[in-house]
Each structure stands twice: as structure tokens, then as C-alpha cells.
Amino acid sequence: MLRKLFVLVAIVIPLALFSQTNPKTFTVKYIDDIIKVDGILDESAWETSESARDFHQYFPSDTTLAGQQTDIKMMYDNTTLYVGIRMETEGDDYIIPSLQRDYRAGGNDNISLMFDTFNDGTNAFLFGMNPYGVRREALISNGGSDNSGFTTSWDVKWQGEAKIYDGYYVCEIAIPLTSFKFKQGETKWRFNSYRFDMQTNETSTWMKIPQNQGIFNLAFMGDMVFEKPLGKSRTPMALIPYVNGILAKDYEKNEDLSTIGFGGDAKISIGNGMNLDVTLNPDFSNVEVDNFVTNLTRFEVSLPERRQFFIDNNDLFGSFGNGRDANPFFSRRIGIAEDKDGETIENGIIGGIRLSGKLNKNWRLGLLNIQTEEDEINEIPSNNNTVLALQKKMFSRSNLSFIFVNRQTFGEYDFVEEIDRYNRVVGLDYNLASPNNTWTGKFFYHKAFAHDIGDKDDSGGMDLRYNSRYFNFGVRGNFVGEDFRSDLGFIRREDIVAARPFAELNFWPKKGKLNTHGFRFSPNFIWRPTLDYQNTDYTIFSQWEGQFKTQERIAVRMFNRYTYLTETFDPTGTDDGVELPANAGYHYTSYETSFQSDRRKVFSFSLQPGYGDFYNGKRYVFEGDMSLRLQPTVFISMGVIYNSIKLPEPYESEDILLLSPRINITFNKSIFWSTLIQYGNQLDNLGFNSRLQWRFAPLSDLFLVYNDNYFVNNFMPRSRSINLKLTYWLNI
């Protein structure tokens, strides 16, 4: 009955939609002149170009024009979009943490430009630059509704230079039109820009955005009108070959893992809106190591995708379902597998293709097919992995999406059970976003198929949210059937029905040091259908949080929890430890506070201590980080997570510590050195990752990576490798 209710609500719920009025507009001039990209706007064409000006303040207030104004001019020819930006400042005391590309924008001086080339309010290209001419680019998806739709792993070729003057700085940019996707003959793109000015502690945007909305939300954009229609895209084919030599040894198994590999990717443009990515013998070795995590739960932890092949248009494939409980496609599943002992190991990829992008103004298509290698020694079959996604725009910013996921082995393997020979999932998602982003939501239903899978093989849910300046609320819930299975997805747990409503009340003081503060109440209940809908888990979350005008943040939180264990469990993860018994319930309450200092400072930090009940015992937790900026060359940071768990005898008590010191050195805009040390006694691992990167040509890199891992208790080596990798981006 609950499943039918979810689907019914998704179809018939009436929503009030509001529209944005009076968008700004400016004309992008067509030119035949030659523009030299040097940070000096001395070409005569700049003098006659229209401007995107009159920036609005976003922080600390959103009711006035910006104190430090920004003027953006654009021109274009048959191949290139030129952007000239003049930014007023109080002085030249800029905050520039690093010279490395794809920097984080918050807490330093920079400007970002967002281009919605299909005018759909859903996807956009972002290009950014700081006063030293350091560049970044990103893809924005899902309407820019949250950080999950902001992908900085995307790379593309473009030019940009900056120059500092007395009282202002200038950025001059040239972006090949081939770096965008757009409709042939288009005359208008939606556009917005946001800027951080740290000397006056001001954040500003060209289109006015209320502070209760995210600064890169695509609901708030003006228009850039081209003087002549855009022509046909002439995106060249890009070949990205690599060679990778690895000297490696696994000391636990006493195996030499040294190897040399060759392969590469190809990027082929199809029309003005589609990309075809081809990969052959891809190298998915980690030149950037994953962060360790402390996991005190009974469930798997999701880690972000870092592999370039999966990045472009990733939202087409990876944003289905509920990312917390039931995401039918999680790309990190491809390239790893469980061996015969149940351990997770790397599974080689033979090759694959990925077709993705816009078919026209209203339709998007994604098709992914990857073949993995067989490993009979470890009892891993060769699998074909296919994902098909189709998205139809509805109304102004909403869409209806279909997904089909198939994992299948075609070989005859004695070690593969019939139920594991294939797994398929089909589903529909409706993603709601009103024109001004006051209402957002998701409604989805997915069904799994496998041999003798059982009849409780579906998953569904709804997430409807209202966002205003003073009051926000959400009606959220989902279910995952006992037999629902997605081998290429992230399924945290099956056999649940969950309800997760929330309500927020926010205040915006006109006086005092606080810029905003508010309360959040968010209960989370989970029932188990196979246990006669017994309530096995709940968390009642209560919080007060405040943000100061000087950018510090402070919060106080309370957690009222109940957990009914259906299986034995040791929350400390101690090897052979005495586990808490099954079929027992635990009520426990805990508290925590947090403080985040001003990230503009040379030295900044965050603190998050907590204490309270934990199952049948007590838990003290401390999380924090601190960073030192010796700009623009050196950035040093230290992260710490400490858990002291004390359970009564005979159950386990443990002090779990995770330390993560990191040092980043940027010698210039082309040579970077990063070293990360991670000590985690829960994982019994001390890891060293040191990476030297030389960007010798645009998007072409030479990496020298040293990895070393040791057991914590006896400091004996676990594994060690030296990795020399060369990639080269070649346009044909």
C-alpha cells in the first residue's frame, strides 16, 4: 500500500510554480578583430562592447548593490568567445591559497562565469579565474541545487590571463566555442556570474540571488544575446593516450605487482550537443588517493568518483533514485569486484564507450557500455556493464528521466551462480524545480530483475522541499524492497520504509554580529516490512546554527537515537571482538557543537566535539582541521577524527584515531607537489601518498606518484609503489 501511495503522490501532487521576472540582458558583439589574451583590455573592440554590470551583493546582505563593482564584457568570432572583466578592489591584499588549477572558490579572491547554453536552467558550464590568472572550470548539473551538482573534475582547453592594477584587477579570457555544447543557430544563452572579494568580505552576483538560495543555482540567470546566430559546432576529436609504468609490491602476499601499461581515451563530438567518449585499456590507477573515513555504522560508505571517463554528463547516469539508500548506478562499482574470499580487489577494464549529451532542446541521452576482464584465479567473471538514460525536459526547469542498468556475464563459469549471471534495473525519476527554486523535489520508482530474485524487487520514494527566506520544510520518504538489487548501484540497505521530514526556521538580524541563524528539526524513522513493519531505527535531529558577518559559523546539535539490531554488531570494528547481541534495541542521546573560523585568515580551523550515549555505552568524539596558508605557494593542513568508545564488559571499548596531514606546494602554474599522510588505526593503516605533477602542455601531465602503506601496530610494510604516468591531450 505504501508503495502505491508513493507512486500516486508523485503523479497527482499539485505544485504552485513561480516565475522569475525581469531578467537582465546584454548583447555579445560579433567581431573580426584579433584579440590578444594578456590581461590588458587595449583592443578598440572592448570599448564598444556592452557590459554585464551592476552586480548585487549576496553576502553579507542581499538587499543592496555590491560595494566593489564588476564589469563584464563579451565578444565572439566564428571560433572563440572572448571575455574581459574589470573588478574594483580596495587594495591589492588578495587571498590566493594556491597556484594550482581548479581551486576551491570560497575564502579567496576570484570570479566565476556560468553559461547555460541550452537555456534549460538545469545544466551549465562554469569558468573561473583569480587575480593571479589561475583558472578553474566545472560542470553544474541538477539546476545547481546543491554541491552534488558541482563537478570540478571536468577539464577543457581555454586561455586566460590576469593583471593587477591600482584599485582593480582585470581578467581576459578566450574560450573556444568548441568547449561548449549548444544548439546550432542559437541567439541567446542564460548567464550569471559570482565573485568573492575578500578585502571587503563581500560576495556579489550579476543576477540578484537571495541568500536562502545557493550562489550557483541556475534558477537565477540573465540573458547574453549574440549579435549573430551561432554556427555549427566544430569540436575537434581529442586523443588522450597514456603510458604508465609502475614499480609495486604487495608485502602481505609477497607479490611483485610491477607493470607497464598503455592505453587512452578519445573524445568525439557528434553534432552540437553530443559527446562520444571511447576508452581502451584505461588506466584508473589513483594519482589522487581517496580519503580514509572512520565508519562506525553497519553500512557501506559512498566515495566520490574521480575518474575522468565518467565525469562529463555524469548527472545523466548517477543522479537517479535516493543517493542515501538506493542509487541504481554508482560508477565506482565498475573496475572493482569481490574475489572468492569476499575481499574487494581491482577488476581490469578492457574498454568502453560513453555517448552523452543533448539531442535537442528538450531531450538528453546517455549510453554507457564497458567490458571488464575475467579473473578466473579470483573467481571473477568478465562482465558487460550497460547503462541507458533518457531525460525529457518538462515545464521550465523540471525533467522526467528513464534509466536502464544491465550487468551481465556471457561466459560459462562454474563459480558463478545462476542468480548472479545478470542483474537489471529499470526506473523512472521525476525531478522537480520551480523557476525560482522555491519548490524542488524528486519522485522515483525502480524495479530490479534477476534470476529467481523474489517479488519484493522494487524501490521508490519522494522528496518534496519548500525553500523560502524564513521557513523551509521537506516531505521525504522512500522504500527499498527486500529483494531489490542493483549490482552497479549504491544500495545502502534493503527491506526498509523510511520517512525523513524536516523543518527549518531562519532569522536575519538587522543588527549585531550574526548575519543569519536558525533552527532545524529533522526526524528520521525506518521500518522493516519483513518484521511486520517494526520501527528498527530512528534519529531525531535538532540543531541551532549561526553564521557571523565575519564568516565564522557556530552550531549546537542534539541526536536522539534508537537502533534495533537484527544482527550482532561491534561498533568499534575490533577484530574478533565481542559483538552486541541481535534482537535488542538501544536508546541513546548525544550532543555536539561545532565552530568554523574565518577561512580568509592565514591560519584557520574548525572544531567539532561531541559526547553522549552510544548503544549501551558512551562515546566521545572530536573532529577538526586546521590550515596554514603561505600564499600563494604553500598550503598546509591537518585533519583529525577521534572517537573514544566505552562499552560495558564484555563488549569492546576502543580509541579510534584518524589523522590526515597534507602539504600542497605550487611552484608555479604548471608544477605542483602534494603530499598526504593518513593514519587510521581502525583500518590498521599508515599511508603516504606523494604526487609531483608537471602540466607541460594544456591538459597534458607528467605524474610521479609514490605510495607507501604500513600496518599501524608493528609498522611492517603492506604495499609500496612508484608510479610514473604520462598523459597527452591531442586535438585532431
Side-chain angles (χ1 to χ4, degrees), residues 74-211:
M74 295 191 200
M75 305 180 295
Y76 72 110
D77 57 25
N78 290 330
T79 63
T80 308
L81 176 69
Y82 300 97
V83 186
I85 315 170
R86 186 184 191 274
M87 285 152 282
E88 297 177 359
T89 62
E90 281 193 348
D92 59 1
D93 187 19
Y94 299 108
I95 295 178
I96 311 293
S98 171
L99 296 175
Q100 188 167 3
R101 193 165 175 157
D102 291 338
Y103 54 85
R104 176 186 172 188
N108 59 90
D109 287 276
N110 62 84
I111 188 166
S112 295
L113 313 170
M114 298 183 294
F115 302 91
D116 176 4
T117 60
F118 282 93
N119 304 298
D120 59 10
T122 303
N123 297 84
F125 301 91
L126 179 143
F127 297 86
M129 183 173 284
N130 68 20
Y132 285 12
V134 182
R135 289 170 286 163
R136 74 174 188 143
E137 62 271 284
L139 295 175
I140 300 176
S141 59
N142 301 322
S145 58
D146 55 42
N147 290 334
S148 66
F150 196 96
T151 304
T152 59
S153 301
W154 175 66
D155 285 326
V156 70
K157 288 185 177 181
W158 57 290
Q159 293 177 275
E161 295 292 340
K163 192 172 181 62
I164 297 174
Y165 299 88
D166 185 18
Y168 66 97
Y169 69 95
V170 169
C171 292
E172 191 170 21
I173 294 170
I175 308 173
L177 291 174
T178 56
S179 297
F180 301 99
K181 293 295 179 184
F182 53 87
K183 179 184 176 183
Q184 182 177 353
E186 187 62 80
T187 59
K188 176 179 71 72
W189 292 354
R190 298 174 75 243
F191 170 78
N192 200 13
S193 174
Y194 61 90
R195 175 190 169 193
F196 292 92
D197 181 82
M198 296 296 97
Q199 296 177 71
T200 57
N201 189 27
E202 180 179 70
T203 306
S204 57
T205 61
W206 180 54
M207 280 296 297
K208 184 178 180 180
I209 303 178
Q211 282 192 21

Side-chain angles (χ1 to χ4, degrees), residues 355-372:
L355 178 67
S356 62
K358 280 272 193 178
L359 293 171
N360 54 42
K361 180 179 179 180
N362 294 321
W363 288 92
R364 295 175 75 201
L365 171 69
L367 175 63
L368 170 71
N369 186 271
I370 290 181
Q371 188 73 32
T372 58

Side-chain angles (χ1 to χ4, degrees), residues 274 326 386 423 527:
M274 299 292 293
T386 301
N423 169 241
W527 296 269

